[in-house]
Amino acid sequence: MSDPKPAAPFAPPKELKAFPNDRQLCIARFSPCGNFLAAGAMEGTVRRWKVVEKPKLTVDIALPDETAKKPAPKAAKKPEESPVELVPLPHLTGFNGWVQNIAFHPKDKILFVADTWGKLAATDIEGDAPKPRWENATAHDGWIRKLAISPDGRHLATCGRDQFVRIWTTAGKLVAEHRAEEDVFAVTFAPEGKVVAFGDLKGTITMWDFEAKQLGRKFDAAVLHKLSRLQNVAGLRVLTFSADGKTLLAGGCEPAGGGFVEGAPALLRFDVATGKQLSEWRFGVAKDGFVLDAASHPDGYLVLVTSGQPGSGKIMFLRPGEKEPFFTNTAVANCHSVTLHPDGKRFAVAAMNKASNGNGRQLTKDGQYLGNNSPVHLFEIPTAQG
Amino acid sequence: MNPLCKPWEHAASRRQFLGASAGTLAFGALGGMISPQAAEAMRKKEKQVLFVWLDGGMSQLESWDPKPNTEFGGPFRSIKTTVPGTHFSELMPQSAKQAHRLCVVRSICTKDNAHSSGVARIQRGDPKNRGVPYPFFGSAIAKLMGPTSSKLPPYVWVKPGSGGFKTEDAGFLGPKYGSLAFGDGKPPEDLLRHASLTADEDAERNELRELLNRRYAAQRRPTYTEASSFVFDTAQELMKRANIFDTSKLAAKELDRYGRTEIGQHMLVARNMLEAGVRFVKVGSYGWDTHGDNFNGSASLVPKFDRAFAAIVEDLAATGLLEHTLVIAMSEFGRTPRINGHVGRDHWPEAWSIAMAGCGLKAGAVVGATNDKGTFVKDPGYDIGAVFHTWFQALGIDTKKVEYDNNGQPLPLAHDDMQSIKEALV
């Protein structure tokens, strides 16, 4: 994300289609080539789709002039079909627990996958059964909470419940590791790729020059943590630098309490040079939960998604210099991940079916106990001309 | 030294030594190695209960009955326990080391999915409706077994928040059998003689208090005034042993073993109370209603319970108290297999787990099972009425022969149509 360009006339994004999916998803990412969408599922698989552009079909239909008094419309447009289809490809298997993190290599057609049992792996993208390049079943002891890839594609950063932050080459070799004082929830590379920022359970964010093996500046995001009775409620979920590396954004939740984990989605913006907090956004009320994912649009704004109590979710466009999002969509329930297509004209949101909660036995008419699922909502961002 | 042995294999820990000694040595011979209270309690072998209540509903899938790598299994791994073939969630590494002492029932199937009604319904054993409120298990034991020979309060509740005398637990038994609650695990203020008072002055004050009590009682129903006197007297007895509440003098290692958390410290107080001879100690913990962010919540909550629970089971075993103490850890229900949009789990009475240990129970047993996805019990399962029968049986109370007398109305101790869980009992 860079400093925002002057606000252009804006037409709100429109949803092209919701693509059903039979499982819950943690994360979705477009490939840099734009031809694939991959998603990590709560079942140890990676779901894949081929992104297929369809010829745009718009048919003009002349309507009869039924009344003499009213001027007849010249033509009405037939509802458009989505110009893009997501065509399912076979799942990638061999992972355990949940696949909560995936990342595409910025140049090569490689997908990196991290699961909650500690496995880190690299695989080709294309084909029905892509070739695994390498895998490390014990990259972490348990839950890998975040996976990031450096902008130059040389390194991966992972962090986990085991309190470790680890740097790997994209060939899978461990380069450096640091043991933090707490469970580490987020990690991201600075734009030059030699420093990462990682954030922990208690909302402490630390810069780490992994080449020099030196810890650097700390940022105080303690507002994203609350000790509620026994429970340490971790609010931090997302870290991302601006494109120029001068500011660092920390997204998540200002927790109000444990259990239900109510809290308002929040985003903090820090000055990297001084560590000073520049601004804070709170997006809504306690039921709205967490900023769970963020994507930087080439035009300089952020696309954020939130998820809170079941049914509560937002898609927001935010310019860093402004106090409020300039676009908010609340029609999609529990938005867990957002990914921008590399052309900047489309984005996909991994969300949740409606009515996903409820106490006790809830069976279908034929007696089945069904799990929830995550439709992938594909949106188009109209150009300034509409 | 045998080259096949490692040096540390020859060094017995204090707890190992105590555990081995308990059955073979007179406690007096142990000198300062065991608290006098524990030695006294062990010598008397009076039945006691530790009841750990995780209010809100601990997830069975993130604790006693993990289903890793299944649709509803969540992100966590399972780990081996000391019982071959039995696995717990990776969030319970300490309890996994105590599994050979535990008896876990994985097929609990109850009826109420609401906290407001479920908490009381479960703790009263959900008997047939006879138009009277049944007592909580602690009150039932206070009535049926009374105080131990220690004369300490028979039913004590160590809990977060406020304390006081909780008469509502007692149901039709009457307020005398309510719980004496110690808020935040602390003793009540001003119960003991203030340092500025002499013993004579204190005696005079108590005389005046008793006089006023008699006048007060003369105008009221005796059940309430008797309850007040009973509670005051037994609480005062407890307060004479103020060291029960003081965990500050314990070694850092001991505090760490239980965890420097609310539940850890309360479990230490509970251990002291059991050693002192309290009949029934309930330890309450709040905040387990993980409708949102269940997995991060469980990652924070469950290990804190695990550490404290495993430590007290280990200590009770080491001092021999576990032989005559019934240990129970449970909630009002489990949590839904289905994961909601807030990545939480909702209320699930259909298939959940209770962990127990101690007197009358089979050690190392896993009773009942859920299906592969953890959604429902495989067999008919056990309702809380069957669990109540089991607990009474484990404490030597025959529910076929003993019944309550509610002012002439005979009432069964537990649900008439249910029986104890035979696989769980020795």
Side-chain angles (χ1 to χ4, degrees):
Chain A
M1 187 180 65
S2 58
D3 286 338
K5 295 176 183 176
F10 177 74
K14 64 176 180 180
E15 184 171 354
L16 298 175
K17 188 173 179 179
F19 294 88
N21 188 42
D22 66 349
R23 286 286 186 273
Q24 287 166 273
L25 302 177
C26 302
I27 186 172
R29 292 289 182 262
F30 279 113
S31 63
C33 66
N35 295 330
F36 297 94
L37 178 71
M42 289 186 183
E43 61 153 8
T45 64
V46 176
R47 301 299 176 102
R48 298 184 303 148
W49 295 266
K50 177 86 176 161
V51 181
V52 178
E53 297 275 347
K54 295 196 298 189
K56 197 167 186 178
L57 294 176
T58 304
V59 181
D60 290 342
I61 306 167
L63 295 178
D65 182 4
E66 292 179 346
T67 65
K69 292 178 183 174
K70 290 183 182 175
K74 289 180 182 174
K77 284 184 179 176
K78 184 182 175 184
E80 287 181 25
E81 288 185 2
S82 171
V84 182
E85 282 297 321
L86 300 180
V87 178
L89 297 169
H91 309 163
L92 302 182
T93 58
F95 301 99
N96 297 299
W98 295 350
V99 173
Q100 200 177 31
N101 288 282
I102 57 173
F104 282 101
H105 192 282
K107 297 170 197 141
D108 302 330
K109 291 189 172 178
I110 305 172
L111 178 67
F112 301 95
V113 182
D115 74 20
T116 58
W117 287 19
K119 182 190 272 192
L120 179 64
T123 178
D124 286 348
I125 298 173
E126 294 178 310
D128 281 354
K131 195 175 83 180
R133 294 205 167 199
W134 56 264
E135 67 175 40
N136 181 341
T138 55
H140 282 261
D141 183 4
W143 196 336
I144 299 178
R145 292 196 176 278
K146 211 60 123 187
L147 162 66
I149 186 162
S150 61
D152 60 10
R154 291 180 59 214
H155 291 111
L156 301 172
T158 54
C159 62
R161 195 173 157 258
D162 61 1
Q163 304 183 357
F164 276 99
V165 184
R166 293 196 166 108
I167 307 296
W168 316 79
T169 67
T170 43
K173 185 184 170 194
L174 182 65
V175 172
E177 69 176 20
H178 169 74
R179 180 159 193 173
E181 291 176 6
E182 301 283 350
D183 187 342
V184 190
F185 274 71
V187 64
T188 190
F189 280 93
E192 42 68 41
K194 294 174 184 171
V195 171
V196 294
F198 63 87
D200 69 21
L201 170 74
K202 303 243 174 102
T204 300
I205 302 166
T206 308
M207 301 277 279
W208 179 36
D209 181 334
F210 59 86
E211 288 200 342
K213 294 189 168 49
Q214 280 186 335
L215 293 177
R217 185 174 300 289
K218 288 186 186 292
F219 305 86
D220 180 3
V223 69
L224 303 182
H225 165 262
K226 185 180 183 74
L227 178 61
S228 173
R229 299 186 187 278
L230 272 190
Q231 183 178 350
N232 272 299
V233 186
L236 181 68
R237 290 293 185 276
V238 183
L239 287 173
T240 185
F241 282 94
S242 59
D244 60 11
K246 290 182 178 174
T247 57
L248 174 65
L249 285 152
C253 171
E254 281 188 21
F260 277 70
V261 185
E262 289 200 323
L267 186 68
L268 312 180
R269 185 171 177 237
F270 295 97
D271 179 59
V272 170
T274 64
K276 187 181 164 193
Q277 185 179 313
L278 301 172
S279 46
E280 177 181 356
W281 293 267
R282 292 177 95 248
F283 305 110
V285 294
K287 74 176 178 63
D288 291 331
F290 292 79
V291 170
L292 285 182
D293 205 0
S296 296
H297 192 276
D299 286 350
Y301 60 84
L302 280 169
V303 182
L304 305 167
V305 290
T306 73
S307 175
Q309 298 301 317
S312 169
K314 291 180 181 174
I315 302 164
M316 296 178 291
F317 287 11
L318 176 74
R319 293 188 186 93
E322 297 179 358
K323 288 184 177 175
E324 302 288 338
F326 62 95
F327 166 72
T328 300
N329 175 317
T330 57
V332 178
N334 296 106
C335 307
H336 287 173
S337 183
V338 62
T339 177
L340 269 168
H341 192 273
D343 67 9
K345 295 174 183 169
R346 294 185 187 120
F347 65 93
V349 174
M352 185 67 68
N353 56 292
K354 306 256 183 192
S356 64
N357 63 324
N359 297 329
R361 179 190 288 255
Q362 294 177 359
L363 304 179
T364 60
K365 285 177 183 172
D366 59 349
Q368 298 294 306
Y369 179 78
L370 297 181
N372 288 309
N373 61 82
S374 296
V376 175
H377 297 262
L378 189 64
F379 285 82
E380 187 171 64
I381 305 172
T383 59
Q385 290 76 27
Chain B
M1 182 183 293
N2 183 337
L4 296 175
C5 296
K6 305 288 187 292
W8 56 83
E9 292 173 331
H10 295 269
S13 70
R14 171 184 175 270
R15 288 187 301 279
Q16 285 169 329
F17 176 72
L18 288 173
S21 304
T24 54
L25 294 176
F27 274 94
L30 292 173
M33 296 190 71
I34 185 168
S35 73
Q37 291 90 348
E40 180 72 8
M42 184 56 202
R43 185 160 47 235
K44 291 178 177 166
K45 291 188 182 295
E46 292 180 283
K47 300 259 171 56
Q48 293 172 278
V49 180
L50 170 66
F51 187 83
V52 183
W53 181 257
L54 306 172
D55 194 84
M58 181 166 75
S59 170
Q60 69 283 2
L61 293 156
E62 277 70 60
S63 56
W64 308 112
D65 192 14
K67 301 287 182 183
N69 263 352
T70 63
E71 181 178 0
F72 304 117
F76 298 112
R77 300 168 289 183
S78 64
I79 53 172
K80 289 180 180 175
T81 68
T82 50
V83 176
T86 296
H87 291 72
F88 294 161
S89 164
E90 67 171 304
L91 302 179
M92 307 198 75
Q94 303 307 321
S95 296
K97 292 175 192 165
Q98 299 298 320
H100 59 289
R101 297 190 167 113
L102 303 181
C103 175
V104 177
V105 183
R106 284 176 165 164
S107 56
I108 302 295
C109 180
T110 50
K111 296 185 181 70
D112 204 320
N113 65 29
H115 301 293
S116 53
S117 47
V119 169
R121 195 166 169 178
I122 290 295
Q123 292 195 65
R124 295 185 198 281
D126 199 12
K128 281 186 179 175
N129 184 1
R130 286 183 166 83
V132 290
Y134 258 61
F136 280 27
F137 187 53
S139 295
I141 294 306
K143 168 72 177 174
L144 295 166
M145 303 183 84
T148 65
S149 55
S150 67
K151 296 181 182 170
L152 294 173
Y155 177 20
V156 161
W157 183 9
V158 183
K159 66 185 282 293
S162 63
F165 189 47
K166 311 288 184 185
T167 56
E168 60 272 23
D169 288 15
F172 66 75
L173 295 178
K176 183 177 171 183
Y177 301 102
S179 59
L180 182 59
F182 294 95
D184 291 328
K186 292 176 184 162
E189 292 176 359
D190 305 328
L191 193 60
L192 287 186
R193 173 164 61 94
H194 192 270
S196 64
L197 288 176
T198 65
D200 288 345
E201 286 167 338
D202 192 44
E204 279 178 27
R205 283 187 167 207
N206 276 329
E207 208 172 306
L208 177 62
R209 179 180 59 79
E210 282 162 15
L211 175 69
L212 293 172
N213 277 350
R214 282 194 294 276
R215 284 190 189 167
Y216 178 82
Q219 297 162 30
R220 282 163 182 83
R221 290 170 59 189
T223 48
Y224 289 95
T225 51
E226 277 173 16
S228 298
S229 300
F230 175 76
V231 170
F232 189 90
D233 293 345
T234 55
Q236 210 172 32
E237 201 63 41
L238 188 62
M239 294 311 301
K240 287 177 187 166
R241 309 182 199 191
N243 60 333
I244 284 174
F245 298 94
D246 184 8
T247 57
S248 64
K249 295 188 179 68
L250 293 171
K253 200 175 171 184
E254 197 73 343
L255 294 170
D256 288 340
R257 207 163 58 80
Y258 277 74
R260 293 177 190 253
T261 60
E262 182 183 78
I263 195 171
Q265 296 311 294
H266 290 184
M267 208 74 92
L268 266 171
V269 172
R271 184 191 73 175
N272 292 348
M273 286 184 169
L274 289 168
E275 289 185 353
V278 173
R279 175 75 75 187
F280 190 107
V281 182
K282 177 170 156 182
V283 175
S285 174
Y286 297 137
W288 292 82
D289 194 18
T290 51
H291 288 279
D293 204 20
N294 169 75
F295 303 94
N296 289 315
S298 292
S300 177
L301 290 164
V302 176
K304 291 168 187 158
F305 158 75
D306 170 59
R307 180 177 283 262
F309 181 70
I312 199 166
V313 168
E314 185 181 28
D315 282 356
L316 292 175
T319 52
L321 293 179
L322 193 61
E323 286 174 27
H324 53 92
T325 303
L326 173 63
V327 176
I328 301 159
M330 64 181 294
S331 300
E332 62 267 44
F333 36 60
R335 306 215 71 86
T336 50
R338 181 175 11 233
I339 298 163
N340 68 33
H342 196 16
V343 201
R345 296 191 192 270
D346 301 312
H347 307 168
W348 192 245
E350 304 283 348
W352 53 288
S353 302
I354 293 177
M356 305 178 288
C359 74
L361 296 174
K362 274 185 195 159
V366 175
V367 177
T370 49
N371 63 19
D372 290 346
K373 287 185 172 184
T375 51
F376 297 100
V377 295
K378 268 186 176 172
D379 45 40
Y382 296 105
D383 204 336
I384 191 67
V387 178
F388 262 57
H389 279 286
T390 309
W391 293 340
F392 284 125
Q393 207 77 30
L395 291 167
I397 299 168
D398 188 343
T399 51
K400 289 175 188 159
K401 294 177 182 167
V402 181
E403 57 187 10
Y404 294 120
D405 175 4
N406 179 33
N407 294 321
Q409 178 192 19
L411 293 170
L413 300 185
H415 197 294
D416 326 27
D417 298 340
M418 296 182 192
Q419 297 177 340
S420 56
I421 306 168
K422 292 190 173 49
E423 305 97 296
L425 290 165
V426 174

